[in-house]
Amino acid sequence: MSHLIAGQADVFSNARVKIYPNLDVLQVANAPIFRAAGWEARERAYDVPPKGEGKNPERAVEVSRARAKRAVKDIALCNHFDYFFTWTLDKKLIDRYDADEVKRKLVTYLKNASHRKGFAYVLLPERHKDGAIHFHGLCKVGSFRLERACSPYTGEPLFSPTDRPLYNMPEWKWGFSSCCPIDDNYERAVNYVVKYLTKDSEKIFGKWYLSSRNLVKRPDIKLVSGGMDYYAFANEHQDCSPIPLYNDVKLISCSLSEKGGIAV
């Protein structure tokens, strides 16, 4: 019977590799928080208060935002999007300060675009300094119509600061639109979008982000057998900032430039 009983070291690890189609990411925590697939979650050694009743609401928001960043990055790396896009709202067409009205019209629009046009997206709502809502995201346009963006003064085609062609999305009916092809540095584009989830951002629709259903949401995951030394890893990768999870648990996440070399 002893061979059927797995010890904690066999079930839990403080390190794992997230395997995306074109990239592997190594994550190392300062506690053995990652569980092997097929094993039940262990009982927490601490109490989790009901939603909204935590002792430190600011930290709760920080943890929630960090979780959203990881989720957006997972979606972006699991699905190769073609364009970065921005949508604004025209005050003549919609009350762009009313989150409930904007959400109703946006969700209906996105459902139709996904179903009829094959539009796939991950989208982050944000407020301008004056409180007006607008959106940034990554997308696969499907049969969504694009038109070359041109200067209203000269009629010449417009380009991004990195010399990529700019397009308008005339089927976005609630305001101004622009989109730009993602260049060869895809991970940089992903990180750029994730940065919109800043410390000043908020859950405008009760969510940090929206994404279409026809996407892969999570990568394959392999535990690192025996774990890794968190502090040695942190010292070696000082360019990768620790991410707060809960209590005193932290996580460092870094891309692997070369596959292999880690036992999983």
Side-chain angles (χ1 to χ4, degrees), residues 3-21:
H3 67 286
L4 298 178
I5 302 175
Q8 178 168 310
D10 300 312
V11 179
F12 293 93
S13 176
N14 78 316
R16 67 181 182 182
V17 178
K18 302 177 82 170
I19 304 170
Y20 301 98

Side-chain angles (χ1 to χ4, degrees), residues 30 46 49 52-68 70 199 203 208 242-251:
N30 62 344
Y46 54 89
E53 298 182 16
K55 294 181 180 179
N56 190 339
E58 290 184 0
R59 179 170 174 80
V61 170
E62 180 184 0
V63 171
S64 175
R65 186 185 294 110
R67 188 181 302 117
R70 295 195 300 273
K199 65 179 181 179
K203 286 184 176 181
W208 294 107
I243 301 168
L245 297 182
Y246 52 83
N247 288 356
D248 295 323
V249 178
K250 296 176 288 186
L251 172 75

Side-chain angles (χ1 to χ4, degrees), residues 224 228 256 258-264:
V224 176
M228 296 179 65
L256 295 178
E258 295 182 4
K259 295 188 177 183
I262 297 177
V264 295

Side-chain angles (χ1 to χ4, degrees), residues 37-85:
W39 293 90
E40 293 184 5
R42 59 184 172 186
E43 185 176 349
R44 289 188 177 95
Y46 54 89
D47 295 327
V48 178
K51 186 176 181 180
E53 298 182 16
K55 294 181 180 179
N56 190 339
E58 290 184 0
R59 179 170 174 80
V61 170
E62 180 184 0
V63 171
S64 175
R65 186 185 294 110
R67 188 181 302 117
K69 285 183 177 181
R70 295 195 300 273
V72 169
K73 194 163 187 176
D74 278 349
I75 293 171
L77 293 176
C78 285
N79 306 271
H80 195 88
F81 295 102
D82 302 315
Y83 292 88
F84 169 81
F85 72 98

Side-chain angles (χ1 to χ4, degrees), residues 8 21 30 56-57 73 90 111 132 136 150 155 158 199 209 212 215 222 233:
Q8 178 168 310
N30 62 344
N56 190 339
K73 194 163 187 176
D90 187 336
K111 285 182 178 178
H136 302 285
C150 296
L158 295 175
K199 65 179 181 179
Y209 67 94
S212 49
L215 296 172
K222 299 291 185 182
F233 185 77

Side-chain angles (χ1 to χ4, degrees), residues 58 61-62 65 69 126 194-202 208:
E58 290 184 0
V61 170
E62 180 184 0
R65 186 185 294 110
K69 285 183 177 181
E126 186 185 34
V194 170
K195 285 182 179 179
Y196 281 106
L197 288 170
T198 66
K199 65 179 181 179
D200 297 323
S201 59
E202 60 176 294
W208 294 107

Side-chain angles (χ1 to χ4, degrees), residues 196-262:
Y196 281 106
L197 288 170
T198 66
K199 65 179 181 179
D200 297 323
S201 59
E202 60 176 294
K203 286 184 176 181
I204 295 174
F205 304 139
K207 296 181 178 181
W208 294 107
Y209 67 94
L210 301 174
S211 62
S212 49
R213 295 183 179 181
N214 54 335
L215 296 172
V216 178
K217 299 297 176 75
R218 295 181 180 85
D220 292 332
I221 293 175
K222 299 291 185 182
L223 293 194
V224 176
S225 178
M228 296 179 65
D229 185 323
Y230 170 82
Y231 296 100
F233 185 77
N235 185 60
E236 184 180 349
H237 297 275
Q238 296 183 22
D239 56 326
C240 299
S241 301
I243 301 168
L245 297 182
Y246 52 83
N247 288 356
D248 295 323
V249 178
K250 296 176 288 186
L251 172 75
I252 294 177
S253 182
C254 292
S255 301
L256 295 178
S257 57
E258 295 182 4
K259 295 188 177 183
I262 297 177

Side-chain angles (χ1 to χ4, degrees), residues 81-97:
F81 295 102
D82 302 315
Y83 292 88
F84 169 81
F85 72 98
T86 297
W87 288 345
T88 65
L89 300 169
D90 187 336
K91 63 182 179 181
K92 298 177 183 178
L93 302 174
I94 188 172
D95 184 350
R96 56 189 182 180
Y97 302 94

